[in-house]
Amino acid sequence: MTENRANSTAPATAPQHSVEGFVKEFLRELHYGQGVTLERASVNDQYLALARTVREYLMARWLETVRRQRDAQAKSVAYLSAEYLLGRQLDNALLATDLSEIVEEGLASLGIELGTLREQEVEPGLGNGGLGRLAACFIDSLATMSVPCIGYGIRYEYGIFRQTFVDGFQVEKADSWLTLGAPWEFPHPEAAVTVHFGGSTERYTDDDGVERSRWVPTWDVRGVPYNYMVPGYQNGRVNTLRLWSAQATEAFDLAIFNSGEYVEAVRSQTFAENISKVLYPEDSTPQGKELRLQQQYFFVACSIRDFVENVLPADFDLHNLPERIIFQLNDTHPVIAVPELMRILVDEKKWDWDEAWAVTQKCFAYTCHTLLPEALEVWPVALLGKLLPRHLEIIYRINDDFLAEVAQRYPGDELRLRRMSIIAEHPERSVRMAFLATIAGSKVNGVAELHSQLLRDKVLPDFSEYWPDKFTNVTNGVTPRRFVRLANPALSDLITDAIGPGWITDLGRLREMEPLADDQEFREKFRAVKAHNKHRLSALLQRRDGITLPGDAMLDVMVKRLHEYKRQTLKVLHIVSLYERIVSGELDPTTIPPRVFAFGAKAAPGYKMAKQTIALINHVGRVVNADPRVKGALTVVFPPNYNVTLAETLIPAADLSEQISLAGKEASGTGNMKFALNGALTIGTDDGANVEIRELVGDENFFLFGLVEPEVDALVTAGYRPAEFYEENATLRRAIDLIASGAFAGGDRTVFEPIVSNLLHEDRFLVLADFQAYLDAQDRVDEAYRDTEAWTRSAILNVARSGFFSSDRAMWDYIDRIWHSRPVVSR
Ligand code: GL4
């Protein structure tokens, strides 16, 4: 289905919402869609037929949603994101259509277990971590809120790599998520768009005698759109996610082929298709590679053209564009969309520059997702000029005009001009994409209160001084559908029994549970839910990885990308320290609550320190788990390939959520929200959204530790010397020495030497400075956990007070503060 301009015919009718209706349709799909009989159908056949059947239930709603939105001429959000970490689709679609029970029963009547088919789905891992998952949560919320939105992105043939461990070291495998069929996508080759690259620009005089520039590109690719349904929760709405796949404009050169040079003949095809071949597995550290810039331009050029030519009516006056669209830039990855829209308006539509700029500025808004300086994208001028010469010219002009304005406001302030220029001169001449986004965007937002403040004060201070009103905050959120209702059915039932089902679309209503924290019977039920979720996790890990979890232990979980600033190393030091204190006889293991330490983390394939840390966790785990002296007290598990699917079972089982990044480094975090909503208590620093979680759940229900951002700043400015902490703290010294001794590497001192020496001599993220505070906080955790009733009370309050972290709320904030769009409710 494309949102083309043809008059909509009457929408199709969905199959009957009954067991009978479902079974009939399912068998029809099996027979005529898959071409097999029930007897001969493989599990994959059954899964594909099921997915297509469920899809049919959504189809009429999809067509209807598109029609309504078009008729209403409503303002749409175009969410431009290089990543969408969607997770599995089947369950979400069943939930949206309220079909779960019907399907379960219908399949059972055919002797098929829904659970088996569910397991067949490979999740589309088209994102790295928080940023990509956030995009998926946002489009879920907008659909549920009936707000018109098109998600635009890239249909990577290979998503985030599949992680395996070989001798504890990460080994990456290609993620072939499309191999067994892709029943959720709708390719539209007929709606393909051509995108140009390379070449040069030239000056010419147009028919009206006006001097103009134009782009003379040298090569092109086709972007083929693949549509995905984004169903709202039981509201009859289905929005669209449109991902672009790159194809060659000409399949191959027949002349070369005929001369027998087969490989050479398809070279251009391979070249073009490479653009959407694979997701860059970097998170918070962009790769300044040409292919990445190609990906970025490819998908935004396709998306803008699609919106202007296919979504808007043919006679639409683009001067009114800001009334119909807001392009939300998900970090800097899609920022090249700014000069692209200018190019369309100025070069193709022949508008005046100022006229085009006035419209463009109203069409974009920019979300920054980081604070790490190395994560702020810059493109070398040489590279950008080679790939997109006209865009570079446009960027120069935007910069000249902007700097002229600044010079007027601050006469003689040369330094300021240099600081604010889109073009950086050192270490090489390059384009600062965050500056371009800030200058072009109608609004700039950070993703948690603290982050937005640091963004204003530290990352873009000149800009926030220049445009104080441009800057705002929208604290991130997560979708309660996937991360509570689907991931935690037992808790969902308990909540619904207590306060009714309204919380699923109005998460603030969880507050109504607060008094139940004091109800002993309710607390017992709540504990039963946790125990049930632990069993469910235990069964999954057994099946998936052959990992056995001990029966009754505190589940302490740290899941997130492996990054030094997130400080998985601090967690390891805690475990090693406990282990060392037990085996040295200092600590009696029977005096602490038994704990399972669970990790999940992928490291960027080129990030050596991160990969070493993964190996260290695995090696520590191996030694600890095999040592009878700590048996029962300490267990370390690290299931490979942490992804959305695993998160959905792991998070609901957790007792303790580890959010221990160095203050001032984690922009927001969203895992932290998922844990709190599922009744885990947080041990965390004053960082990102942890700050707001703590404010909401209350100090007494949160384990805070560590330096605060100004202290971090002061310590670093004064000259931080980690070795001093090592020398002054015997517990820390013994833990580090144990690692250095090779105890976790079969006596080999060299294996983890880089980690040890990094900690002692560099320690960019102040692990050693926060070590003692972290241990003290962990002691408080142990103490609190011993009081089962009080712990449960805190856990319930975490759930009840975390409703703010719904992505629905985040979307309302975007609407209020940035987009000024509204739901389409009329018929
Ligand atoms: C991230 C931040 O690191 C993370 O704190 C934040 O929650 C997320 C969504 O806003 O964006 N930025 C990058 S890059 N990857 C992320 O996960």
Side-chain angles (χ1 to χ4, degrees):
M1 186 205 56
T2 49
E3 291 164 56
N4 56 34
R5 298 189 185 108
N7 280 337
S8 54
T9 49
T13 41
Q16 242 182 32
H17 202 92
S18 66
V19 174
E20 227 177 47
F22 163 75
V23 169
K24 193 169 139 215
E25 202 52 41
F26 172 73
L27 289 174
R28 205 183 63 81
E29 274 297 344
L30 204 55
H31 295 158
Y32 303 113
Q34 280 306 105
V36 290
T37 58
L38 183 58
E39 293 70 36
R40 296 197 53 81
S42 65
V43 171
N44 198 56
D45 287 325
Q46 293 170 359
Y47 162 68
L48 291 176
L50 172 59
R52 292 216 185 83
T53 307
V54 176
R55 210 170 87 153
E56 276 177 41
Y57 283 90
L58 286 166
M59 189 54 84
R61 304 172 197 206
W62 199 11
L63 299 170
E64 181 61 16
T65 304
V66 171
R67 184 191 66 74
R68 268 193 221 181
Q69 292 178 355
R70 193 182 311 131
D71 290 355
Q73 303 190 7
K75 182 168 181 175
S76 287
V77 178
Y79 201 74
L80 297 182
S81 178
E83 302 189 13
Y84 290 89
L85 193 45
L86 296 170
R88 284 181 177 162
Q89 297 299 291
L90 176 61
D91 266 331
N92 192 51
L94 290 177
L95 178 68
T97 46
D98 196 17
L99 275 171
S100 306
E101 283 171 23
I102 287 176
V103 165
E104 187 146 22
E105 200 180 320
L107 288 175
S109 75
L110 302 172
I112 300 169
E113 240 192 293
L114 172 57
T116 311
L117 303 196
R118 197 181 269 143
E119 294 299 304
Q120 191 62 21
E121 180 172 358
V122 182
E123 70 166 73
L126 310 184
N128 273 288
L131 176 142
R133 181 55 235 178
L134 186 77
C137 284
F138 281 4
I139 59 178
D140 175 272
S141 283
L142 291 171
T144 295
M145 293 155 56
S146 302
V147 174
C149 166
I150 306 181
Y152 282 115
I154 302 174
R155 179 184 176 274
Y156 300 104
E157 197 178 326
Y158 297 93
I160 184 71
F161 63 86
R162 188 163 55 80
Q163 179 191 52
T164 64
F165 295 142
V166 174
D167 193 26
F169 287 83
Q170 170 176 296
V171 174
E172 303 88 21
K173 295 275 159 62
D175 160 57
S176 347
W177 70 287
L178 292 166
T179 312
L180 288 178
W184 302 103
E185 65 183 24
F186 295 80
H188 282 283
E190 80 292 348
V193 170
T194 300
V195 177
H196 301 281
F197 290 96
S200 55
T201 64
E202 64 184 22
R203 302 288 294 170
Y204 75 105
T205 310
D206 73 10
D207 297 345
D208 301 327
V210 181
E211 272 264 314
R212 295 188 167 276
S213 265
R214 71 180 157 210
W215 184 14
V216 191
T218 44
W219 58 280
D220 49 29
V221 296
R222 265 156 51 90
V224 178
Y226 283 66
N227 290 338
Y228 298 76
M229 296 192 255
V230 184
Y233 172 74
Q234 300 183 1
N235 68 343
R237 306 303 152 95
V238 181
N239 280 344
T240 304
L241 170 63
R242 185 161 299 152
L243 304 182
W244 299 94
S245 177
Q247 265 189 10
T249 38
E250 275 162 53
F252 58 85
D253 188 317
L254 200 61
I256 302 179
F257 183 83
N258 288 341
S259 71
E261 300 287 337
Y262 305 127
V263 173
E264 186 53 28
V266 295
R267 207 184 56 84
S268 73
Q269 186 181 14
T270 315
F271 185 76
E273 287 175 3
N274 271 345
I275 292 180
S276 58
K277 187 66 82 185
V278 52
L279 170 80
Y280 274 84
E282 271 72 29
D283 186 76
S284 306
T285 41
Q287 277 261 6
K289 295 273 168 67
E290 181 168 357
L291 180 63
R292 174 128 175 132
L293 184 56
Q294 288 173 11
Q295 291 186 336
Q296 296 181 348
Y297 179 64
F298 166 72
F299 98 86
V300 300
C302 288
S303 305
I304 294 180
R305 182 143 323 263
D306 179 64
F307 192 84
V308 170
E309 290 183 1
N310 296 325
V311 181
L312 291 174
D315 56 355
F316 188 79
D317 178 357
L318 289 177
H319 290 91
N320 301 325
L321 198 56
E323 287 158 31
R324 294 296 295 276
I325 189 79
I326 178 84
F327 290 105
Q328 185 67 36
L329 303 168
N330 198 26
D331 217 272
T332 51
H333 319 147
V335 171
I336 197 70
V338 170
E340 172 65 2
L341 182 58
M342 284 300 287
R343 189 190 65 77
I344 291 173
L345 298 179
V346 174
D347 293 5
E348 292 185 8
K349 307 289 176 195
K350 308 272 188 289
W351 289 17
D352 284 350
W353 177 272
D354 292 340
E355 195 184 9
W357 183 238
V359 166
T360 297
Q361 272 188 308
K362 293 193 193 117
C363 289
F364 288 98
Y366 161 52
T367 307
C368 175
H369 292 267
T370 189
L371 285 162
L372 304 180
E374 67 267 33
L376 293 171
E377 260 184 324
V378 291
W379 288 108
V381 161
L383 179 65
L384 212 146
K386 184 182 111 188
L387 203 63
L388 302 166
R390 178 60 183 138
H391 296 76
L392 182 60
E393 272 182 15
I394 291 171
I395 293 168
Y396 279 145
R397 170 77 192 268
I398 294 171
N399 196 40
D400 287 348
D401 290 2
F402 171 65
L403 292 181
E405 254 181 55
V406 178
Q408 233 174 33
R409 178 128 41 122
Y410 300 94
D413 196 342
E414 268 302 314
L415 274 180
R416 183 182 299 264
L417 294 186
R418 235 177 283 165
R419 286 201 309 270
M420 296 182 83
S421 173
I422 298 174
I423 308 299
E425 299 295 337
H426 303 287
E428 80 190 297
R429 232 174 122 71
S430 43
V431 180
R432 296 158 159 158
M433 301 307 269
F435 287 16
L436 176 56
T438 302
I439 292 164
S442 55
K443 290 280 175 183
V444 176
N445 76 288
V447 291
E449 288 290 350
L450 174 64
H451 174 238
S452 295
Q453 183 207 319
L454 294 172
L455 186 64
R456 281 189 299 256
D457 298 350
K458 299 262 167 97
V459 183
L460 300 167
D462 293 315
F463 293 93
S464 70
E465 183 189 331
Y466 196 78
W467 285 304
D469 296 341
K470 202 183 255 213
F471 287 77
T472 186
N473 170 251
V474 178
T475 298
N476 282 166
V478 302
T479 171
R481 269 73 64 187
R482 182 175 293 269
F483 289 106
V484 184
R485 177 63 190 78
L486 284 175
N488 202 340
L491 179 63
S492 297
D493 288 348
L494 185 66
I495 299 172
T496 299
D497 282 349
I499 65 169
W503 61 274
I504 298 171
T505 49
D506 183 4
L507 205 62
R509 291 184 56 183
L510 290 178
R511 282 261 175 206
E512 294 165 26
M513 283 170 63
E514 251 189 62
L516 293 166
D518 294 319
D519 176 336
Q520 204 214 321
E521 211 179 303
F522 188 81
R523 287 201 300 265
E524 244 163 67
K525 289 185 188 158
F526 189 91
R527 278 196 296 277
V529 165
K530 226 1 128 194
H532 167 84
N533 290 337
K534 285 185 187 179
H535 278 124
R536 195 174 60 140
L537 172 67
S538 183
L540 174 71
L541 292 183
Q542 189 64 252
R543 217 170 45 239
R544 184 185 187 268
D545 309 302
I547 294 174
T548 308
L549 289 184
D552 192 22
M554 182 203 308
L555 185 63
D556 174 346
V557 185
M558 182 160 190
V559 285
K560 48 188 77 251
R561 283 300 288 256
L562 202 311
H563 210 297
E564 286 164 281
Y565 83 79
K566 295 178 187 277
R567 304 199 294 190
Q568 278 91 353
T569 316
L570 180 56
K571 178 81 250 161
V572 178
L573 283 178
H574 171 227
I575 300 169
V576 169
S577 172
L578 284 171
Y579 174 70
E580 193 277 333
R581 288 168 61 210
I582 293 173
V583 299
S584 70
E586 181 187 302
L587 179 66
D588 175 357
T590 62
T591 63
I592 54 170
R595 272 209 214 197
V596 173
F597 301 94
F599 289 88
K602 289 180 183 178
Y607 189 171
K608 292 220 175 74
M609 193 54 71
K611 291 181 104 171
Q612 273 249 322
T613 307
I614 285 181
L616 177 61
I617 298 167
N618 277 323
H619 282 72
V620 167
R622 205 179 289 172
V623 169
V624 168
N625 296 345
D627 193 326
R629 292 169 293 182
V630 298
K631 191 133 203 90
L634 310 179
T635 310
V636 180
V637 298
F638 192 168
N641 202 40
Y642 177 67
N643 58 9
V644 177
T645 305
L646 180 57
E648 287 169 15
T649 308
L650 194 44
I651 293 171
D655 295 302
L656 187 66
S657 157
E658 299 275 351
Q659 309 300 336
I660 61 177
S661 51
L662 176 62
K665 300 297 176 196
E666 187 70 272
S668 161
T670 44
N672 47 3
M673 302 168 183
K674 295 166 197 166
F675 280 101
L677 278 167
N678 281 280
L681 275 60
T682 304
I683 180 164
T685 47
D686 215 29
D687 200 16
N690 295 355
V691 178
E692 287 152 84
I693 294 178
R694 185 171 54 89
E695 274 166 11
L696 283 163
V697 306
D699 275 340
E700 62 290 5
N701 303 305
F702 186 107
F703 302 95
L704 175 68
F705 76 97
L707 299 167
V708 295
E709 195 277 331
E711 292 171 338
V712 170
D713 215 30
L715 184 54
V716 171
T717 312
Y720 171 56
R721 281 179 299 278
E724 286 174 8
F725 288 87
Y726 167 85
E727 270 139 31
E728 281 160 24
N729 186 329
T731 314
L732 173 61
R733 197 164 58 240
R734 278 152 50 194
I736 291 183
D737 286 352
L738 191 60
I739 298 172
S741 75
F744 302 107
D748 187 340
R749 304 174 64 99
T750 62
V751 182
F752 299 118
E753 194 278 329
I755 293 185
V756 171
S757 79
N758 182 280
L759 280 177
L760 293 180
H761 305 118
E762 191 172 346
D763 192 19
R764 242 189 97 196
F765 299 102
L766 277 53
V767 170
L768 302 201
D770 268 345
F771 175 80
Q772 192 56 50
Y774 182 53
L775 253 56
D776 295 344
Q778 289 289 4
D779 286 345
R780 286 185 273 134
V781 169
D782 279 347
E783 197 183 313
Y785 194 75
R786 281 190 205 103
D787 185 344
T788 307
E789 294 298 339
W791 182 279
T792 312
R793 189 174 177 280
S794 284
I796 295 169
L797 290 177
N798 264 270
V799 178
R801 295 173 179 173
S802 294
F804 175 77
F805 299 107
S806 168
S807 45
D808 302 347
R809 187 272 316 150
M811 292 294 86
W812 288 120
D813 285 351
Y814 274 90
I815 287 172
D816 274 1
R817 297 171 196 171
I818 300 174
W819 299 336
H820 313 296
S821 61
R822 58 195 161 72
V824 169
V825 282
S826 58
R827 292 206 150 256

